[in-house]
Amino acid sequence: MSSEQPARRANRHEEAAGDTPGRVPLVVQLALRPLPLLPLQPILGATLRAVLANHPGIFERLGPHAGKRFGLAPTDLPLAFLLETLPRRPRITAVRALPARLDVTIRGSIAALIGLVDGGYDGDALFFSRDLVVEGNMEAVVALRNAVDDAQIDLVREGCGSLGPLAAPAERLLRSLLPRPVTDPGAMPWN
């Protein structure tokens, strides 16, 4: 085996790792475990209201899948999110564990889940690399993905928008904490 082959293999591994979402460090996960979830609810509510204000009708786009319940389970946080997509009264709730009866469960790192919403990561690539696990009604998942892709949501910006003068620093902080995919600036998007 030539010395060139291991170097090529290492480069391929580095390239693949650049497309893999980062994870929240274990020490942060442990620090978050005892914190109550109730203070998250106003932030989640404000974020959902901002998304709805900037992208009206996003849940109507789900068609027959409007009203489905989606469980979003960050694998690197000690909590999960229950998204109920009722067109007139959608709701997102932070929970310690997802309820048993959901239409869809999506598991992945928090960076992957946010990246799916804002377009930072390709859902198909995450799914096939097993960085994202989807269980349940696949038609509902595709409908939600299409609605979110068409809306072009910037979840971090819209989530921080309700913080008034703290919005810009909070957005910078969140973006610095969420790993982004390493991309070649000269590369064309695949889709």
Side-chain angles (χ1 to χ4, degrees), residues 83-98:
L83 174 63
E84 298 175 83
T85 60
L86 298 166
R88 292 208 168 116
R89 292 186 41 215
R91 188 169 61 175
I92 187 161
T93 310
V95 295
R96 286 287 172 206
L98 290 172

Side-chain angles (χ1 to χ4, degrees), residues 19-159:
D19 293 336
T20 302
R23 300 185 53 75
V24 173
L26 182 60
V27 68
V28 174
Q29 293 178 41
L30 294 173
L32 293 174
R33 189 164 289 165
L35 297 178
L37 298 180
L38 189 58
L40 275 179
Q41 288 311 130
I43 296 167
L44 292 173
T47 300
L48 183 59
R49 283 189 300 278
V51 168
L52 293 171
N54 294 324
H55 312 281
I58 187 170
F59 293 121
E60 284 88 357
R61 293 228 32 222
L62 297 177
H65 304 291
K68 300 281 188 201
R69 294 172 9 125
F70 294 82
L72 308 170
T75 55
D76 54 349
L77 290 180
L79 64 126
F81 304 97
L82 174 61
L83 174 63
E84 298 175 83
T85 60
L86 298 166
R88 292 208 168 116
R89 292 186 41 215
R91 188 169 61 175
I92 187 161
T93 310
V95 295
R96 286 287 172 206
L98 290 172
R101 294 184 183 162
L102 293 172
D103 297 294
V104 174
T105 302
I106 304 171
R107 297 182 198 289
S109 70
I110 190 66
L113 296 173
I114 291 173
L116 285 172
V117 174
D118 70 17
Y121 290 107
D122 172 48
D124 292 336
L126 292 174
F127 179 77
F128 288 115
S129 67
R130 297 195 175 140
D131 288 315
L132 187 71
V133 176
V134 180
E135 300 168 338
N137 184 329
M138 291 301 165
E139 289 179 11
V141 171
V142 170
L144 181 63
R145 176 185 171 177
N146 290 340
V148 167
D149 283 351
D150 287 347
Q152 298 181 352
I153 297 169
D154 185 337
L155 195 58
V156 172
R157 176 167 291 136
E158 293 179 27

